[in-house]
């Protein structure tokens, strides 16, 4: 009748600490997993943009000035080529990469046809809009 135990409350306290730690570690794991997936998508976008930039520059060096669509393993890149009104023999190339899951990246660069050089380059990455 006059039993005063400390084992049961101590066990409950230890179990609640272990449960809390398990939830915390699961949350950290899921956060890291999401971060790795996002980095994977960004790497895939960067990869297809780099390859498509080289392909478009090769087309421009051959004199082909057509808009088009390039398909790769992870997604596709549409490109448009516009002549600049202000500068002669300079074109503006816009690349729009879209992965299979909807991540997007837009790249715009200026290309001089005479020098066959890229002068300006800028990019915009947009998150998935599901």
């Amino acid at each position: 009748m006059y039993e005063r135990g400390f084992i049961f409350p101590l066990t409950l306290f230890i179990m609640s600490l272990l449960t809390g730690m398990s939830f915390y570690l699961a949350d950290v794991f899921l956060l890291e997993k999401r971060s790795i997936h996002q980095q994977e998508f960004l790497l895939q976008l960067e990869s297809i943009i780099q390859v498509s930039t080289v392909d478009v520059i090769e087309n421009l060096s051959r004199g082909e000035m057509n808009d088009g669509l390039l398909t790769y393993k992870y997604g596709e890149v549409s490109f448009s080529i516009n002549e600049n009104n202000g500068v002669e023999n300079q074109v503006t190339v816009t690349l729009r990469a879209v992965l299979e899951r909807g991540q997007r990246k837009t790249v715009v660069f200026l290309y001089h046809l005479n020098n066959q050089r890229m002068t300006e380059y800028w990019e915009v990455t947009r998150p998935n809009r599901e």
Side-chain angles (χ1 to χ4, degrees):
M1 294 206 129
Y2 293 102
E3 297 177 12
R4 292 189 179 186
F6 66 93
I7 298 296
F8 184 68
L10 181 64
T11 304
L12 286 178
F13 178 72
I14 291 173
M15 291 305 294
S16 64
L17 282 178
L18 289 175
T19 303
M21 185 62 93
S22 298
F23 285 139
Y24 173 74
L25 291 176
D27 187 45
V28 168
F29 171 74
L30 291 175
L31 182 65
E32 287 180 8
K33 186 176 177 182
R34 274 181 262 152
S35 174
I36 288 171
H37 278 268
Q38 185 65 24
Q39 289 174 4
E40 178 184 3
F41 294 139
L42 290 175
L43 184 62
Q44 289 173 350
L45 279 171
E46 186 66 32
S47 173
I48 64 174
I49 284 291
Q50 286 179 0
V51 172
S52 64
T53 300
V54 170
D55 290 344
V56 169
I57 287 176
E58 286 177 0
N59 288 346
L60 287 172
S61 66
R62 288 191 301 252
E64 298 176 14
M65 301 278 288
N66 303 349
D67 296 350
L69 179 69
L70 302 169
T71 304
Y72 299 102
K73 182 179 179 181
Y74 301 113
E76 58 188 24
V77 178
S78 62
F79 64 94
S80 61
I81 302 169
N82 301 318
E83 294 184 20
N84 286 349
N85 295 335
V87 179
E88 191 172 319
N89 292 324
Q90 180 180 349
V91 294
T92 302
V93 179
T94 304
L95 303 170
R96 290 179 187 87
V98 179
L99 293 181
E100 295 168 343
R101 294 196 174 201
Q103 288 81 6
R104 305 166 193 231
K105 185 174 191 173
T106 302
V107 171
V108 180
F109 63 89
L110 299 178
Y111 185 78
H112 285 279
L113 297 172
N114 290 343
N115 304 346
Q116 293 187 348
R117 291 192 176 197
M118 186 186 316
T119 56
E120 294 183 30
Y121 178 92
W122 59 95
E123 60 188 48
V124 177
T125 303
R126 294 190 178 112
N128 190 359
R129 296 175 190 230
E130 291 185 46

